[in-house]
Amino acid sequence: MACVRLAVLVVLLAAYPAGTAFSETSFEKVTRFLERTIERYGNLEASLTESLGAPSARSVSKHASPHDPNYTYELISMDFAPKGAQAVVYRDSDKELLVGLVASTPKLVFGKNVRVGSPKSAVLKELGKPVEEKDDVMRYEDESGYVDITFQLDLGGTVRRMGISIWMD
């Protein structure tokens, strides 16, 4: 019996030579893409300001949860005009986190190396096939369905605008 198990193991190892990586799922690629972007710019208002500079405009809007009117939170909207970026940060009494980031110039890099001006092939290389592609927009989502990453392309297939939205429940 031990010889049979050893033979099966040898066959499996031969089928997957050393260094062969198992393929990531599209959801894992989206998660990794989001993590790399947040590592670069931060997840808080202070870290975004540190990485992108002082916002040229900032506003705070207060909201109550539709599920519990006693639960309130703020959305902090910031425009980083010199960088061609807009960001939205969610803040309540316990946490603060990035829920939206949009780039319209090549000054920002999302994921490993996707920016405005990148060809569609660069997006496909990093994220794979989108969950939706309609007209000039490619859309990706994570497994939960709460993260959307979108790329608006021009007629030549070049990224003209890209955005990340994280939906809070």
Side-chain angles (χ1 to χ4, degrees), residues 86-135:
Q86 294 84 39
V88 178
V89 172
Y90 169 96
R91 181 170 55 202
D92 67 13
S93 60
D94 297 328
K95 65 185 160 290
E96 179 176 304
L97 58 111
L98 178 69
V99 294
L101 184 62
V102 174
S104 57
T105 71
K107 294 179 180 178
L108 268 70
V109 174
F110 281 14
K112 188 174 180 181
N113 195 26
V114 176
R115 64 181 69 229
V116 169
S118 293
K120 178 180 178 179
S121 61
V123 176
L124 293 170
K125 180 179 179 183
E126 196 161 339
L127 286 166
K129 182 180 176 187
V131 294
E132 182 180 17
E133 188 169 1
K134 191 163 54 172
D135 300 325

Side-chain angles (χ1 to χ4, degrees), residues 1-168:
M1 185 66 149
C3 290
V4 172
R5 280 189 232 163
L6 181 59
V8 169
L9 180 60
V10 168
V11 169
L12 288 174
L13 289 174
Y16 295 99
T20 300
F22 290 94
S23 177
E24 286 183 302
T25 68
S26 60
F27 295 136
E28 290 168 334
K29 288 179 181 180
V30 168
T31 299
R32 188 168 41 91
F33 188 89
L34 177 63
E35 288 169 351
R36 284 181 171 154
T37 304
I38 289 174
E39 284 171 9
R40 183 174 281 117
Y41 302 109
N43 202 23
L44 308 171
E45 180 180 11
S47 56
L48 286 160
T49 301
E50 183 179 319
S51 62
L52 298 172
S56 53
R58 179 185 181 278
S59 64
V60 178
S61 57
K62 298 183 185 292
H63 304 270
S65 168
H67 307 295
D68 178 1
N70 294 321
Y71 177 79
T72 60
Y73 62 94
E74 298 176 333
L75 293 176
I76 304 160
S77 300
M78 296 171 284
D79 187 356
F80 299 94
K83 297 279 188 177
Q86 294 84 39
V88 178
V89 172
Y90 169 96
R91 181 170 55 202
D92 67 13
S93 60
D94 297 328
K95 65 185 160 290
E96 179 176 304
L97 58 111
L98 178 69
V99 294
L101 184 62
V102 174
S104 57
T105 71
K107 294 179 180 178
L108 268 70
V109 174
F110 281 14
K112 188 174 180 181
N113 195 26
V114 176
R115 64 181 69 229
V116 169
S118 293
K120 178 180 178 179
S121 61
V123 176
L124 293 170
K125 180 179 179 183
E126 196 161 339
L127 286 166
K129 182 180 176 187
V131 294
E132 182 180 17
E133 188 169 1
K134 191 163 54 172
D135 300 325
D136 62 347
V137 177
M138 296 169 58
R139 189 178 71 79
Y140 295 84
E141 64 183 34
D142 74 341
E143 192 168 14
S144 71
Y146 289 115
V147 174
D148 275 335
I149 302 173
T150 57
F151 300 91
Q152 185 175 1
L153 309 173
D154 65 15
L155 293 175
T158 301
V159 175
R160 287 292 155 229
R161 184 178 173 92
M162 53 189 191
I164 295 173
S165 299
I166 302 168
W167 304 101
M168 300 297 292

